[in-house]
């Protein structure tokens, strides 16, 4: 079986934060209070609400996923302390991004500490949560130049469409050696979106025409949840992105654990492996080879298939 690497996932010990003045907090049986309502944030068997590396590794081993990239999001709260432990304990299985508090002026010092003292190899920026704050502000550009000079990576999720594309393009031009992974397949259109042929998500994808920029598909099963498994329109969107920038620019991501409340972890990629619209070489690049090259994973485990009791 080809090597599989998950290029977009999340970990936390507990959700306990706020967003726009509304509470986000772990409750029970995998649920969380989330912006005024209780939602199933995790599968219900994760009764303590702890989304740990060990539980994820059990899912990864079962699904034969060799390694995973862990990003961060404001809605989960800052998880830097925990992810530093995860990176130290499981260096061959995880690449963990740090996240500074970009909502506060002076975040550069926080970013510097995370990279220089805590030893993180990259920063995650959920830019879709920063609308109204410029990606090309003096402090942001100072941070990007720090990352470029020290060979750190950037994981960034942009707002729907092309609202932040021009700013990120300016960052790419100003920091031509900064390696960047753009998330969520550019927030690709869903099947019900009108004017498919004119939608602006493609402008995010086209940023990967720059040598140092990659695209990952984290959350694609969420984007196409209304269509559901086996997500034929998601496969079409992946193919279209590849037509724009090439198969060597795309990495599969699951958005674990949020997406596995609706499907199993294996289902978050096997709709790709079972698709007749992709070649074996395309699947190999998308599911693992591109991420292994971009993130530098080397000592990956050989994970055997474990037969289900019901088979």
């Amino acid at each position: 079986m080809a090597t599989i690497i998950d290029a977009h996932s999340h970990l936390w010990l507990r959700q306990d934060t706020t967003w726009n003045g509304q509470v986000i907090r772990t409750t029970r049986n995998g649920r969380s209070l989330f912006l005024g309502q209780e939602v199933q944030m995790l599968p219900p068997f994760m009764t303590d609400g702890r989304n740990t590396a060990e539980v994820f590794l059990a899912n990864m081993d079962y699904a034969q996923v060799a390694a995973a990239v862990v990003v961060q999001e404001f809605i989960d709260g800052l998880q830097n302390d925990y992810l530093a432990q995860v990176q130290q304990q499981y260096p061959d299985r995880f690449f963990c991004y740090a996240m500074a508090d970009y909502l506060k002026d002076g975040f550069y010092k926080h970013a510097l500490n995370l990279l220089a003292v805590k030893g993180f190899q990259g920063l995650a920026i959920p830019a879709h949560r920063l609308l109204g704050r410029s990606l090309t502000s003096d402090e942001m550009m100072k941070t990007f130049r720090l990352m470029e000079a020290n060979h750190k990576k950037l994981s960034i999720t942009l707002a729907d469409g092309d609202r932040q594309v021009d700013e990120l393009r300016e960052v790419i031009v100003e920091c031509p050696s900064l390696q960047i992974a753009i998330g969520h397949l550019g927030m690709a259109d869903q099947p019900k979106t009108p004017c498919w042929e004119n939608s602006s998500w493609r402008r995010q994808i086209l940023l990967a025409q720059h040598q140092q920029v990659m695209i990952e598909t984290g959350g694609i099963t969420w984007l196409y949840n209304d269509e559901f498994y086996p997500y034929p329109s998601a496969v079409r969107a992946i193919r279209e992105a590849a037509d724009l920038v090439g198969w060597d620019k795309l990495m599969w991501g699951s958005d674990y654990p949020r997406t596995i409340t609706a499907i199993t972890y294996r289902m978050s990629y096997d709709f790709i492996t079972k698709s007749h619209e992709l070649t074996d070489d395309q699947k190999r690049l998308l599911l693992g080879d591109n991420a292994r090259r971009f993130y530098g994973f080397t000592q990956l485990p050989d994970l055997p298939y474990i037969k289900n009791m019901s088979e």
Side-chain angles (χ1 to χ4, degrees):
M1 181 175 179
T3 299
I4 299 177
I5 296 172
D6 188 342
H8 187 117
S9 66
H10 300 272
L11 294 174
W12 62 78
L13 289 181
R14 185 175 181 85
Q15 289 181 312
D16 187 8
T17 189
T18 59
W19 178 251
N20 287 341
Q22 293 185 292
V23 170
I24 302 171
R25 186 175 68 247
T26 297
T27 57
R28 61 187 180 87
N29 297 341
R31 302 174 190 172
S32 289
L33 292 178
F34 183 73
L35 308 181
Q37 61 180 325
E38 189 173 41
V39 301
Q40 196 70 49
M41 187 69 66
L42 303 170
F45 54 78
M46 295 169 73
T47 56
D48 61 1
R50 289 166 57 90
N51 172 33
T52 65
E54 288 72 26
V55 172
F56 191 18
L57 282 168
N59 275 282
M60 289 166 61
D61 289 353
Y62 172 71
Q64 298 175 279
V65 174
V69 178
V70 183
V71 302
Q72 295 198 55
E73 237 274 34
F74 284 120
I75 63 172
D76 301 325
L78 297 178
Q79 302 292 329
N80 296 312
D81 290 344
Y82 178 54
L83 294 186
Q85 296 175 24
V86 171
Q87 187 69 81
Q88 184 176 23
Q89 190 169 0
Y90 305 107
D92 297 331
R93 301 298 299 274
F94 292 112
F95 182 103
C96 295
Y97 278 101
M99 185 171 72
D101 193 349
Y102 311 109
L103 295 169
K104 297 179 179 178
D105 293 338
F107 64 79
Y108 173 81
K109 291 183 179 180
H110 188 198
L112 177 61
N113 179 265
L114 291 168
L115 298 174
V117 179
K118 295 291 187 181
F120 282 99
Q121 295 304 305
L123 291 176
I125 299 182
H128 62 306
R129 309 284 185 192
L130 299 175
L131 290 175
R133 289 176 174 260
S134 174
L135 295 178
T136 58
S137 68
D138 290 345
E139 191 165 26
M140 274 291 188
M141 292 307 300
K142 184 178 180 181
T143 302
F144 293 139
R145 292 188 182 102
L146 169 73
M147 296 170 66
E148 181 186 33
N150 291 277
H151 309 291
K152 307 296 186 179
K153 299 185 190 303
L154 169 65
S155 169
I156 190 165
T157 298
L158 301 180
D160 296 25
D162 60 2
R163 285 178 284 177
Q164 296 173 303
V165 166
D166 290 339
E167 286 188 344
L168 184 56
R169 182 181 293 107
E170 185 175 337
V171 173
I172 291 167
V173 171
E174 289 291 320
C175 302
S177 298
L178 176 61
Q179 291 189 301
I180 301 171
I182 298 173
H184 295 314
L185 198 69
M187 298 298 288
D189 283 341
Q190 299 158 42
K192 62 185 178 182
T193 302
C195 303
W196 176 276
E197 295 302 327
N198 297 314
S199 56
S200 54
W201 67 277
R202 294 169 182 80
R203 291 195 64 208
Q204 290 194 37
I205 303 302
L206 287 170
L207 291 172
Q209 291 178 328
H210 294 271
Q211 183 177 1
Q212 76 273 34
V213 181
M214 300 287 286
I215 304 291
E216 45 94 338
T217 72
I220 195 167
T221 61
W222 157 67
L223 289 172
Y224 292 88
N225 184 61
D226 287 347
E227 184 179 74
F228 204 62
Y229 189 90
Y231 309 106
S233 294
V235 174
R236 180 173 68 170
I238 291 170
R239 289 183 60 190
E240 184 169 0
D243 287 343
L244 292 172
V245 295
W247 284 99
D248 62 335
K249 287 290 190 168
L250 305 182
M251 303 182 290
W252 165 73
S254 70
D255 210 11
Y256 175 99
R258 289 182 249 277
T259 49
I260 65 166
T261 57
I263 57 175
T264 68
Y265 185 48
R266 184 183 291 273
M267 288 169 69
S268 67
Y269 75 79
D270 75 356
F271 76 95
I272 295 171
T273 63
K274 293 176 180 177
S275 173
H276 298 296
E277 297 186 40
L278 308 179
T279 69
D280 288 344
D281 284 344
Q282 290 166 351
K283 294 173 185 177
R284 176 177 50 78
L285 290 170
L286 173 65
L287 291 173
D289 281 8
N290 292 337
R292 176 160 52 182
R293 182 188 74 250
F294 185 75
Y295 285 105
F297 286 109
T298 54
Q299 303 297 319
L300 296 175
D302 183 16
L303 299 171
Y305 177 75
I306 302 300
K307 182 179 179 180
N308 290 324
M309 184 273 290
S310 58
E311 290 183 73

